[in-house]
């Protein structure tokens, strides 16, 4: 791969992209279970979500570099600006290009999926809000990620809005039953952010980045993490048990309990932030596996009805 291209691929942080996709998969599977499914809507939704996640990653690289949070004390992987491979100006240009691409993808998705002017305007508004949230997490004079509001934003966009929004694009309506899988998806996304923030707790505290782990302390952040994981599994399981389907179809979802429990125990056993660092890709896989098991069960329930 060309060295310049590799730098930008790394800056986009491809390992984090499943976080953007699982909520779309979940919402799409739920739409399929209600008798609605469109391949173009699914592909456009996945593209838009991916571009939004990349925008968030680029903006995070830029914002933390400007504020000095990305320094030699940070335990995570070397970022693009921090390494000197990308300048602040180049990163700003990349963010602008990404915003333009996101707008085109989002508008294509909205105008293809929706007919009601009210719905179109509502989703355009949500798209603008999502882009602002992606940038304002670490960029600006008062980034909300520096006061501990990142968890709430991730929960809303990767949970409630991601799942219910993709469902609406397929079906044109919202069901109250969507709350449980939306809750599960959002809690797992927050768990990924929590591991990231527990890893960087010492450096973030020194730099004035008041994340939830910084506010709670390492031990209580681990308790918070356990609650996120268990809440997610219980939310997904509750939705599956509420369906009027044979119980045996849902049994594969029990595998998620094993995956989540192993990860939760590993996090609980840590004593230092450095021990958390290797667990970021693990919690991403944990989120992906749990969501995909849920999606698989939902599809199986639909096909056997």
């Amino acid at each position: 791969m060309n060295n310049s291209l590799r730098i930008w691929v790394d800056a986009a942080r491809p390992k984090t992209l499943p976080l953007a996709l699982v909520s779309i998969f979940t919402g799409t599977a739920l739409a399929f279970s209600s008798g609605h499914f469109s391949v173009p809507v699914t592909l456009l939704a996945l593209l838009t979500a991916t571009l939004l996640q990349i925008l968030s990653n680029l903006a995070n690289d830029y914002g933390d570099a400007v504020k000095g949070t990305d320094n030699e004390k940070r335990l995570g992987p070397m970022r693009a600006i921090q390494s000197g491979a990308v300048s602040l100006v180049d990163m700003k240009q990349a963010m602008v290009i990404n915003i333009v691409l996101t707008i085109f993808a989002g508008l294509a998705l909205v105008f293809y999926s929706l007919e009601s002017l009210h719905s179109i305007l509502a989703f355009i508004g949500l798209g603008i809000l999502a882009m602002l949230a992606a940038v304002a997490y670490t960029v600006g004079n008062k980034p909300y990620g520096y006061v501990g509001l990142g968890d709430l934003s991730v929960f809303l966009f990767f949970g409630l809005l991601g799942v219910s929004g993709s469902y609406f694009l397929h079906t044109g309506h919202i069901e109250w039953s969507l709350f449980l899988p939306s809750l599960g998806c959002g809690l797992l996304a927050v768990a990924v952010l929590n591991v990231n923030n527990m890893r960087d707790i010492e450096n973030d505290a020194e730099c004035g980045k008041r994340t939830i782990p910084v506010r709670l302390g390492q031990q209580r952040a681990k308790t918070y993490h356990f609650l996120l994981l268990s809440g997610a599994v219980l939310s997904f399981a509750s939705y599956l048990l509420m369906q009027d389907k044979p119980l045996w179809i849902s049994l594969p979802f029990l595998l998620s309990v094993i995956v989540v429990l192993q990860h939760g125990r590993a996090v609980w056993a840590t004593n230092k932030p450095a021990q958390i660092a290797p667990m970021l890709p693990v919690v991403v896989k944990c989120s992906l596996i749990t969501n995909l098991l849920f999606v698989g069960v939902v599809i199986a329930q639909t096909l056997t009805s």
Side-chain angles (χ1 to χ4, degrees), residues 122-199:
F123 267 81
I124 289 176
L126 287 174
I128 293 172
L129 185 62
M131 288 188 289
L132 288 174
V135 174
Y137 178 64
T138 58
V139 176
N141 294 327
K142 295 182 179 180
Y144 65 87
Y146 277 68
V147 293
L149 294 177
D151 294 49
L152 177 61
S153 177
V154 165
F155 176 74
L156 290 175
F157 286 102
F158 291 93
L160 297 183
L161 294 177
V163 175
S164 59
S166 55
Y167 181 91
F168 187 92
L169 289 167
H170 283 280
T171 66
H173 66 274
I174 294 292
E175 300 286 348
W176 282 107
S177 60
L178 294 173
F179 175 75
L180 284 172
S182 298
L183 178 63
C185 202
L187 290 176
L188 284 175
V190 176
V192 174
L193 178 61
N194 192 54
V195 167
N196 181 82
N197 289 338
M198 281 195 291
R199 178 197 67 193

Side-chain angles (χ1 to χ4, degrees), residues 20 47-57 98 102 127 130-132 134 158:
L47 175 61
T48 304
T50 299
L51 288 170
L52 281 170
Q53 178 64 51
I54 293 174
L55 174 61
S56 177
N57 291 340
N98 183 277
T102 303
M131 288 188 289
L132 288 174
F158 291 93

Side-chain angles (χ1 to χ4, degrees), residues 80-104:
I81 296 176
Q82 180 188 8
S83 68
V86 175
S87 69
L88 291 173
V89 173
D90 288 340
M91 186 61 76
K92 287 178 70 174
Q93 291 176 345
M95 290 164 59
V96 171
I97 293 172
N98 183 277
I99 289 172
V100 172
L101 293 175
T102 303
I103 290 173
F104 276 114

Side-chain angles (χ1 to χ4, degrees), residues 1-248:
M1 183 185 294
N2 179 276
N3 189 52
S4 178
L5 178 60
R6 183 182 297 277
I7 289 171
W8 286 109
V9 169
D10 290 341
R13 298 185 220 168
K15 292 181 180 179
T16 68
L17 298 185
L19 296 178
L21 304 182
V22 290
S23 62
I24 307 301
F25 288 142
T26 301
T28 299
L30 293 167
F32 176 77
S33 71
S34 69
H36 299 83
F37 175 72
S38 167
V39 172
V41 170
T42 302
L43 294 178
L44 286 170
L46 291 171
L47 175 61
T48 304
T50 299
L51 288 170
L52 281 170
Q53 178 64 51
I54 293 174
L55 174 61
S56 177
N57 291 340
L58 297 179
N60 192 238
D61 197 314
Y62 178 87
D64 280 343
V66 169
K67 291 172 176 57
T69 310
D70 284 346
N71 54 47
E72 67 280 356
K73 295 182 180 179
R74 182 175 170 273
L75 297 176
M78 184 76 69
R79 290 179 175 171
I81 296 176
Q82 180 188 8
S83 68
V86 175
S87 69
L88 291 173
V89 173
D90 288 340
M91 186 61 76
K92 287 178 70 174
Q93 291 176 345
M95 290 164 59
V96 171
I97 293 172
N98 183 277
I99 289 172
V100 172
L101 293 175
T102 303
I103 290 173
F104 276 114
L107 289 177
L109 171 63
V110 168
F111 283 110
Y112 183 88
S113 308
L114 306 173
E115 296 181 357
S116 164
L117 178 60
H118 181 270
S119 296
I120 290 172
L121 292 177
F123 267 81
I124 289 176
L126 287 174
I128 293 172
L129 185 62
M131 288 188 289
L132 288 174
V135 174
Y137 178 64
T138 58
V139 176
N141 294 327
K142 295 182 179 180
Y144 65 87
Y146 277 68
V147 293
L149 294 177
D151 294 49
L152 177 61
S153 177
V154 165
F155 176 74
L156 290 175
F157 286 102
F158 291 93
L160 297 183
L161 294 177
V163 175
S164 59
S166 55
Y167 181 91
F168 187 92
L169 289 167
H170 283 280
T171 66
H173 66 274
I174 294 292
E175 300 286 348
W176 282 107
S177 60
L178 294 173
F179 175 75
L180 284 172
S182 298
L183 178 63
C185 202
L187 290 176
L188 284 175
V190 176
V192 174
L193 178 61
N194 192 54
V195 167
N196 181 82
N197 289 338
M198 281 195 291
R199 178 197 67 193
D200 296 331
I201 186 171
E202 293 178 347
N203 187 54
D204 285 346
E206 289 183 12
C207 296
K209 190 174 184 179
R210 302 283 292 170
T211 62
I212 295 298
V214 170
R215 291 178 179 274
L216 293 178
Q218 192 76 14
Q219 190 61 38
R220 284 189 290 180
K222 292 194 289 185
T223 301
Y224 173 59
H225 193 67
F226 176 80
L227 293 174
L228 292 171
L229 295 174
S230 56
V233 172
L234 288 173
S235 297
F236 283 131
S238 298
Y239 176 88
L240 295 175
L241 291 174
M242 288 170 58
Q243 306 310 302
D244 186 21
K245 307 292 181 182
L247 184 60
W248 63 267

